[in-house]
């Protein structure tokens, strides 16, 4: 759908005086963003909305809606408004669209529904405002079920799976073959990509790893990312900490691995799992968010309970003993970004009509 003009309002929380005081650090960095930019040919306008620490969620929606009023000329000139992130962004987008008599679609992503919506004020707004959208796009069916539970009508839910860059992420035959088992008596790689923090389940994985090593002494765990558990990971036997890596460095690491593991405590639909599947690598993940939806067959991977290192270890050991076929695993992978974009465009086009 090249040639369709898109203007992005990039929502940035604004803490007054953060740019002058230099703190909080993230808020100070965001304050330095230009008001207008062009990213990959798309005009981007920074939408600065107020944020008040401690009581932020309680007043987030009116502050966001007030900030949108400063961009009403741009919104009036649009055919369709797409709100990204359920609260407050999506809720405010629906309110403004109604006032301007414009169709509005809201796209949710995971934590906005699974975490933010646990706050009563956010849950009430999502149920009230998203019910007035023309459609609510989810990238995991579990998110749709949760929205329905919150009160969003089921007929508004549109499932559009995330895509991946298929020029980067695809199965490649390894020189030793893709049927990797412990009987080969060589190092077996397990890969984790994500922030090195407890919420990503890394503490559980580090607790599970000595159990895995006892059963599979040649197994090695490679961690890609940074975070507060970095030092602990460095002190765990059989663990290699690679630090942050650019996106195009991930496919070779996946191809070198026998298994990808993401034992998160909360997720939407993590792209890194989709990328692992696209590369033909089976996954061990937790039963949170859309992970189970991404692993619909035992050939794709294994789903375990969060917060359970022993169950996690047993699943990893079982997968390392199990042969896999990369092309069979990749058949459970996601569509391309262009296919995903086409599906989203179709939802927007229906809303416009």
């Amino acid at each position: 759908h090249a040639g369709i003009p898109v203007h992005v309002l990039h929502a940035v929380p604004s803490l007054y005086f953060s740019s002058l005081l230099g703190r909080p650090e993230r808020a100070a960095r965001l304050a330095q963003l230009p008001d207008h930019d062009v990213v990959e040919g798309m005009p981007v306008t920074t939408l600065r909305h107020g944020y008040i620490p401690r009581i932020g969620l309680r007043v987030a929606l009116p502050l966001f809606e007030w900030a949108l009023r400063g961009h009403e000329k741009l919104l009036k000139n649009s055919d369709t408004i797409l709100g990204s992130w359920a609260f407050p962004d999506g809720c405010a987008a629906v309110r403004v669209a109604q006032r301007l008599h414009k169709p509005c679609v809201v796209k949710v992503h995971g934590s906005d529904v699974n975490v933010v919506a646990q706050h009563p004020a956010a849950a009430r707004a999502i149920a009230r405002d998203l019910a007035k959208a023309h459609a609510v796009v989810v990238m995991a069916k579990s998110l749709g079920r949760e929205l329905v539970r919150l009160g969003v009508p089921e007929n508004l839910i549109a499932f559009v799976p995330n895509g991946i860059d298929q020029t980067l992420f695809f199965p490649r035959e390894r020189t030793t073959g893709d049927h990797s088992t412990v009987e080969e008596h060589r190092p077996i790689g397990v890969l984790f990509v994500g922030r090195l923090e407890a919420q990503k389940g890394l503490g559980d994985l580090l607790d599970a790893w000595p159990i895995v090593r006892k059963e599979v002494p040649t197994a090695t765990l490679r961690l890609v990312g940074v975070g507060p558990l970095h030092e602990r990971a460095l002190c765990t036997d059989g663990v290699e900490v690679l630090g942050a890596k650019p996106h195009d460095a991930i496919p070779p690491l996946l191809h070198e691995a026998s298994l990808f593991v993401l034992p998160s405590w909360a997720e939407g639909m993590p792209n890194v799992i989709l990328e692992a599947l696209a590369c033909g690598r089976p996954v061990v993940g937790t039963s949170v968010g859309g992970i189970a939806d991404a692993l619909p067959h035992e050939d794709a991977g294994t789903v375990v309970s969060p917060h359970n290192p022993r169950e996690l270890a047993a699943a990893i050991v079982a997968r390392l003993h199990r042969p896999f076929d990369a092309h069979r695993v990749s058949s459970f992978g996601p569509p391309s970004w262009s296919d995903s974009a086409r599906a989203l465009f179709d939802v927007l086009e229906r809303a416009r009509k």
Side-chain angles (χ1 to χ4, degrees), residues 124-138:
R124 288 193 297 270
I126 288 171
R128 179 187 63 242
D129 294 324
L130 267 56
K132 299 171 185 175
H134 286 72
V136 181
V137 174
V138 299

Side-chain angles (χ1 to χ4, degrees), residues 190 208 211-212 216 259-261 282-286 301-305 308-322:
V190 175
I211 305 173
V212 175
V216 190
L259 180 66
F260 181 80
V261 178
V283 173
V284 171
T286 41
T302 303
V303 179
V304 299
S305 306
N308 195 325
R310 289 194 173 276
E311 185 183 352
L312 178 61
I316 292 172
V317 170
R319 297 303 309 196
L320 292 179
H321 279 281
R322 176 181 177 146

Side-chain angles (χ1 to χ4, degrees), residues 164-174 177-180 191 193 247-260 271-283 299-300 324-335:
I164 52 101
D165 185 346
Q166 293 183 339
T167 66
L168 282 176
F169 297 94
F170 58 91
R172 293 175 183 162
E173 296 298 336
R174 292 156 53 158
D178 274 302
H179 293 277
S180 307
L191 183 66
V193 179
H247 198 223
D248 59 6
I250 303 303
L253 293 172
L254 284 166
H255 294 136
E256 292 169 6
S258 302
L259 180 66
F260 181 80
N271 252 36
V272 67
I273 281 184
L274 304 181
E275 292 166 350
L277 292 172
C279 284
R281 292 300 173 261
V283 173
D299 286 349
F324 69 90
D325 180 89
H327 291 280
R328 168 64 176 164
V329 175
S330 70
S331 70
F332 297 99

Side-chain angles (χ1 to χ4, degrees), residues 201-214 221 232 236 263 308-314 316-317:
L202 183 59
D204 299 330
L205 180 54
L206 295 177
D207 287 341
W209 194 245
I211 305 173
V212 175
R213 290 272 289 182
K214 185 177 180 180
L221 173 62
R232 182 186 169 193
T236 304
N308 195 325
R310 289 194 173 276
E311 185 183 352
L312 178 61
I316 292 172
V317 170

Side-chain angles (χ1 to χ4, degrees), residues 4 31 38 53 108 113 148 153 171 184 207 214 232 241 246 249 257 262 276 288 311 313 335 352:
I4 297 172
V38 177
V108 303
V113 175
V148 171
E184 292 176 348
D207 287 341
K214 185 177 180 180
R232 182 186 169 193
V241 183
L262 187 69
V288 299
E311 185 183 352
R352 192 172 69 88

Side-chain angles (χ1 to χ4, degrees), residues 13-339:
S14 176
L15 275 71
Y16 300 111
F17 306 116
S18 62
S19 59
L20 296 175
L21 299 175
R23 63 179 189 272
E25 183 179 345
R26 181 172 180 271
R29 289 200 310 270
L30 292 174
Q32 302 304 315
L33 288 173
D35 290 336
H36 303 283
D37 201 355
V38 177
V39 179
E40 296 190 9
M42 291 187 297
V44 177
T45 298
T46 300
L47 169 67
R48 305 183 194 277
H49 60 94
Y51 178 79
I52 302 176
R54 298 182 184 274
I55 62 169
L57 277 177
R58 298 175 194 170
V59 296
L61 184 51
L63 288 176
F64 200 102
E65 191 176 3
W66 178 261
L68 276 176
R69 288 178 178 270
H71 301 275
E72 284 203 357
K73 182 178 179 181
L74 173 62
L75 294 166
K76 284 179 181 177
N77 291 331
S78 65
D79 294 314
T80 306
I81 297 172
L82 172 63
S84 182
W85 198 258
F87 180 90
D89 314 44
C91 293
V94 171
R95 291 184 176 193
V96 170
Q98 283 197 305
R99 191 170 69 251
L100 299 178
H101 306 290
K102 298 286 183 180
C104 182
V105 173
V106 177
K107 188 172 189 290
V108 303
H109 296 269
S111 296
D112 50 349
V113 175
N114 294 327
V115 179
V116 176
Q118 300 308 307
H119 191 284
R124 288 193 297 270
I126 288 171
R128 179 187 63 242
D129 294 324
L130 267 56
K132 299 171 185 175
H134 286 72
V136 181
V137 174
V138 299
M139 55 186 175
K141 293 178 180 178
S142 60
L143 291 176
R145 293 191 291 270
E146 180 63 15
L147 285 170
V148 171
R149 188 192 69 79
L150 289 170
V152 178
E154 187 173 4
N155 67 312
L156 293 182
I157 307 298
F159 174 57
V160 176
N162 267 359
I164 52 101
D165 185 346
Q166 293 183 339
T167 66
L168 282 176
F169 297 94
F170 58 91
R172 293 175 183 162
E173 296 298 336
R174 292 156 53 158
T175 55
T176 54
D178 274 302
H179 293 277
S180 307
T181 67
V182 293
E183 286 74 26
E184 292 176 348
H185 300 294
R186 60 177 179 78
I188 295 174
V190 175
L191 183 66
F192 168 97
V193 179
R195 184 157 171 78
L196 307 186
E197 62 182 2
Q199 290 81 358
K200 287 294 182 181
L202 183 59
D204 299 330
L205 180 54
L206 295 177
D207 287 341
W209 194 245
I211 305 173
V212 175
R213 290 272 289 182
K214 185 177 180 180
E215 297 293 327
V216 190
T218 57
T220 59
L221 173 62
R222 306 178 88 183
L223 308 178
V224 176
V226 295
L229 293 183
H230 178 271
E231 292 301 321
R232 182 186 169 193
L234 286 176
C235 298
T236 304
D237 189 45
V239 175
E240 183 181 359
V241 183
L242 304 181
K245 293 288 182 182
H247 198 223
D248 59 6
I250 303 303
L253 293 172
L254 284 166
H255 294 136
E256 292 169 6
S258 302
L259 180 66
F260 181 80
V261 178
L262 187 69
S264 296
W265 296 350
E267 287 286 354
M269 177 60 79
N271 252 36
V272 67
I273 281 184
L274 304 181
E275 292 166 350
L277 292 172
C279 284
R281 292 300 173 261
V283 173
V284 171
T286 41
S287 55
V288 299
I291 291 179
D293 292 339
L295 306 175
H297 191 278
E298 60 182 10
D299 286 349
T302 303
V303 179
V304 299
S305 306
H307 309 283
N308 195 325
R310 289 194 173 276
E311 185 183 352
L312 178 61
I316 292 172
V317 170
R319 297 303 309 196
L320 292 179
H321 279 281
R322 176 181 177 146
F324 69 90
D325 180 89
H327 291 280
R328 168 64 176 164
V329 175
S330 70
S331 70
F332 297 99
S336 68
W337 275 123
S338 59
D339 288 337

